[in-house]
Amino acid sequence: SCASCHGAYSPRYINDPNFLADPTLEGVASYVVPLSVIRTDPARANTDNEGVSQALSRTDIGYPETHGAGPQLDCGMQTRAATRGEREHGYLAPPLYGVWATAPYLHNGSVPDVWSLLKPEDRPALWRRVSTPPRPDQAGQVIMGFDTDIHRAYDGEKLGWKYDELACGDGTIPALQCAGDNPGLTQPLIDLLYGNILAAWNLGNAVSLLQLTTEQIEDRKIYNTHLFSQGNEGHDFTAVLTDQERRALIEYMKTL
């Protein structure tokens, strides 16, 4: 089923003209999955409205030389009304080559490893990737970045960078940032604020001018799936798999 969005990889299918028109299309992924199907956090897709899509199509990333060439040849932003046609808004399924090296997952990086991507119930709500351990002479003096040592910080069984799962209150404000299924009034107000791109941008600039403590800087590494645009829901097609099937699928993906 993964192939229906992410492309075909097995020789059994890439060499079958009834399944794939040309073997050179192996691993090619260009399917935009509608939000109603993928059900992941919609904030980014909703931001790609007509105005944004028109503006980006005039830049180098929009292939301006093909602008106006018609729906079949225009390589600009496919979210524009002129090129999208009747297709729904959604997210582009990436190829799976080297998927082991692309953690964290989903379009917003809300899922830390392939295991929890395949098993939605194991996805942490609050988590922080492990940091590079400081040298003895650096202890308590500097903030270290994420640990990228493949032998020390990468989980080869789950396919993702190691992380610490946190409880509400660990570097968060419980009343505002851990609302979960009972948001009350505060969370909708926060979502409204951050849903306004200009307001959120200026708020971030204002906060950056403050003198942050070492602990506050470290807390910025926390991934909080309760916050606006950071939800880890959706892409739950594999919830029906057994753990043994998930492990087999992970071993297969290691070969890509």
Side-chain angles (χ1 to χ4, degrees):
S1 295
C2 303
S4 62
C5 296
H6 292 280
Y9 301 85
S10 170
R12 173 182 176 184
Y13 295 104
I14 65 173
N15 294 315
D16 183 350
N18 294 317
F19 191 85
L20 205 61
D22 189 317
T24 60
L25 295 175
E26 173 188 358
V28 173
S30 58
Y31 185 75
V32 176
V33 186
L35 285 174
S36 59
V37 175
I38 194 70
R39 300 186 306 282
T40 54
D41 192 298
R44 181 177 175 183
N46 290 339
T47 302
D48 287 334
N49 55 33
E50 184 67 15
V52 172
S53 300
Q54 290 283 1
L56 289 177
S57 289
R58 299 187 185 98
T59 68
D60 290 341
I61 66 171
Y63 300 96
E65 62 271 21
T66 68
H67 188 70
Q72 302 299 320
L73 299 176
D74 193 328
C75 296
M77 298 296 293
Q78 298 300 296
T79 47
R80 286 178 298 143
T83 51
R84 191 178 78 247
E86 297 182 355
R87 291 178 295 167
E88 297 181 50
H89 273 295
Y91 291 113
L92 183 68
L96 297 179
Y97 289 122
V99 67
W100 67 270
T102 60
Y105 299 96
L106 294 186
H107 66 274
N108 57 3
S110 59
V111 178
D113 50 43
V114 171
W115 175 265
S116 48
L117 182 67
L118 298 178
K119 192 172 184 178
E121 65 187 77
D122 282 3
R123 296 175 188 173
L126 288 164
W127 56 278
R128 178 171 50 204
R129 248 181 76 179
V130 298
S131 297
T132 303
R135 300 191 310 264
D137 63 311
Q138 294 176 318
Q141 300 177 25
V142 296
I143 294 296
M144 308 303 294
F146 292 130
D147 195 347
T148 57
D149 186 293
I150 197 73
H151 301 291
R152 180 177 57 213
Y154 190 81
D155 189 330
E157 293 186 4
K158 293 186 175 181
L159 290 195
W161 296 104
K162 294 178 181 178
Y163 64 92
D164 295 317
E165 187 168 0
L166 307 175
C168 187
D170 292 339
T172 60
I173 305 173
L176 300 180
Q177 299 179 334
C178 301
D181 296 329
N182 185 25
L185 178 63
T186 54
Q187 196 64 45
L189 288 176
I190 293 173
D191 290 352
L192 180 64
L193 173 63
Y194 281 95
N196 184 310
I197 296 176
L198 292 178
W201 180 275
N202 290 320
L203 177 64
N205 287 339
V207 171
S208 67
L209 296 177
L210 301 177
Q211 186 66 38
L212 299 179
T213 66
T214 298
E215 184 178 358
Q216 288 172 325
I217 295 174
E218 186 67 18
D219 287 344
R220 293 181 69 180
K221 296 179 182 179
I222 296 174
Y223 198 102
N224 185 348
T225 62
H226 297 306
L227 296 182
F228 179 79
S229 80
Q230 295 186 188
N232 63 359
E233 68 271 19
H235 198 286
D236 52 6
F237 318 110
T238 51
V240 298
L241 298 178
T242 66
D243 285 353
Q244 183 177 1
E245 289 170 332
R246 292 186 182 94
R247 283 189 286 269
L249 190 55
I250 285 176
E251 291 305 312
Y252 169 72
M253 285 191 282
K254 290 179 182 180
T255 69
L256 297 178

